[in-house]
Amino acid sequence: MSPVLAAAFPEAVLFWPLAILAVGSALGVLLARNPIHAAMGLVLSFFAVAGIYVLLAAQMLAALQVIVYAGAIMVLFLFVIMLLSLGEAELGEERGSARRIMGIGAAVALVIMSVDVFADLELESLPAGVGQRAFGTVEQVGRMLFGPFVLPFEATSILLLVAIVGAVVVAKAKI
Amino acid sequence: MLNAVPISHYLTLASALFAIGLAAVLVRRNALIVFMGVELMLNAANVTFLAFSRAFADMSGHAIAFFVIAVAAAEAAVGLAIVIAVFRSRRTVNVDEVDALKN
């Protein structure tokens, strides 16, 4: 996807709007009073990040992001928010100013430090392998999952079983 | 190619998303919004994996991001079940009020 596009027009035309949308809606999650507004902001952020994945030549992961993250996990979040009826009565002030400043200060410091590190990286933006039409496709991810990563793949199936049983047991009123 | 965005831009985007998720976990008191911050941090990690995967033309980053998504789904299910259980017994999702182990 992306290497073909790059020949036609600058990738930045897609990158900057998607990046600003992703960061802006993430800020909406941070700042929203109402948990439902925060959940909507997070959904928007996930869609923008799925667009970023497409720019990174990760088509399969972009589809999975929309289907699993925005489509399943956020729906679960919204169900829980509505189940607990948290839409209206908000739960009081946020943390005191000292802790809030420290939290935001930590986040800002992290971004500044990482920008400093990334400035020194010498990374190729479009190496030759990415130009293949097959990079990032379902077939290639499948080859990875059933090849070098078959053990984590099988372990993930056990993890999902454990998570299903655990979620049912923990959330039930009477066991 | 002249038109490609440098990989460091993607990494900076990932660190910004991670920082916002971190701030949400540290600042907000609603347990559900803390959870959303955790999901933001996981997404930032995915963006980093995929950016490096493109930089080195190596598909391993895609497989790892796949597992991150699967683990995030499992963790969200169990974590929200815990939030529901806590709400059922304490009628609150304010993380500052769930302090029975304190002192």
Side-chain angles (χ1 to χ4, degrees):
Chain A
M1 283 284 317
S2 168
V4 176
L5 284 177
F9 65 87
E11 187 182 333
V13 165
L14 287 176
F15 172 77
W16 285 108
L18 284 172
I20 291 173
L21 184 62
V23 171
S25 42
L27 280 172
V29 173
L30 176 62
L31 300 172
R33 295 273 105 214
N34 188 333
I36 296 193
H37 295 166
M40 290 290 102
L42 195 58
V43 171
L44 188 57
S45 187
F46 286 162
F47 273 104
V49 167
I52 296 282
Y53 289 177
V54 171
L55 285 180
L56 287 172
Q59 299 98 299
M60 157 116 170
L61 266 302
L64 278 184
Q65 171 88 356
V66 173
I67 293 172
V68 174
Y69 247 121
I73 296 180
M74 289 317 299
V75 169
L76 180 61
F77 260 103
L78 282 167
F79 268 128
V80 171
I81 292 174
M82 289 193 246
L83 188 69
L84 304 184
S85 301
L86 295 173
E88 6 21 84
E90 204 14 61
L91 312 144
E93 322 298 288
E94 296 310 325
R95 297 205 155 106
S97 333
R99 284 207 241 168
R100 204 189 308 191
I101 290 174
M102 282 195 291
I104 297 187
V108 169
L110 174 66
V111 175
I112 292 175
M113 281 196 300
S114 43
V115 168
D116 191 34
V117 166
F118 299 148
D120 298 331
L121 286 177
E122 303 274 336
L123 289 171
E124 260 191 84
S125 189
L126 277 180
V130 177
Q132 311 296 326
R133 298 294 291 190
F135 187 82
T137 54
V138 180
E139 182 201 348
Q140 291 298 315
V141 177
R143 283 184 189 283
M144 276 286 150
L145 287 180
F146 286 99
F149 287 92
V150 64
L151 194 56
F153 175 70
E154 302 295 342
T156 303
S157 70
I158 301 176
L159 170 76
L160 288 175
L161 175 66
V162 169
I164 290 172
V165 173
V168 169
V169 166
V170 169
K172 259 174 98 62
K174 291 192 203 313
I175 299 177
Chain B
M1 285 218 193
L2 295 173
N3 288 334
V5 170
I7 296 291
S8 56
H9 285 22
Y10 289 103
L11 298 177
T12 308
L13 167 68
S15 73
L17 284 175
F18 190 91
I20 294 173
L22 177 69
V25 169
L26 292 176
V27 169
R28 299 298 298 255
R29 292 207 293 195
N30 189 336
L32 290 164
I33 300 196
V34 167
F35 233 108
M36 292 182 203
V38 173
E39 299 295 336
L40 269 175
M41 289 196 271
L42 287 167
N43 266 275
N46 266 348
V47 173
T48 309
F49 271 121
L50 293 172
F52 278 112
S53 181
R54 172 174 144 179
F56 298 114
D58 188 351
M59 287 292 297
S60 308
H62 292 229
I64 296 175
F66 178 94
F67 292 129
V68 170
I69 291 181
V71 167
E75 165 232 358
V78 175
L80 289 172
I82 292 176
V83 167
I84 290 177
V86 167
F87 184 81
R88 189 178 292 130
S89 72
R90 294 188 175 273
R91 308 303 301 179
T92 182
V93 290
N94 189 332
V95 294
D96 281 345
E97 289 174 18
V98 184
D99 59 355
L101 284 177
K102 192 173 177 183
N103 297 359

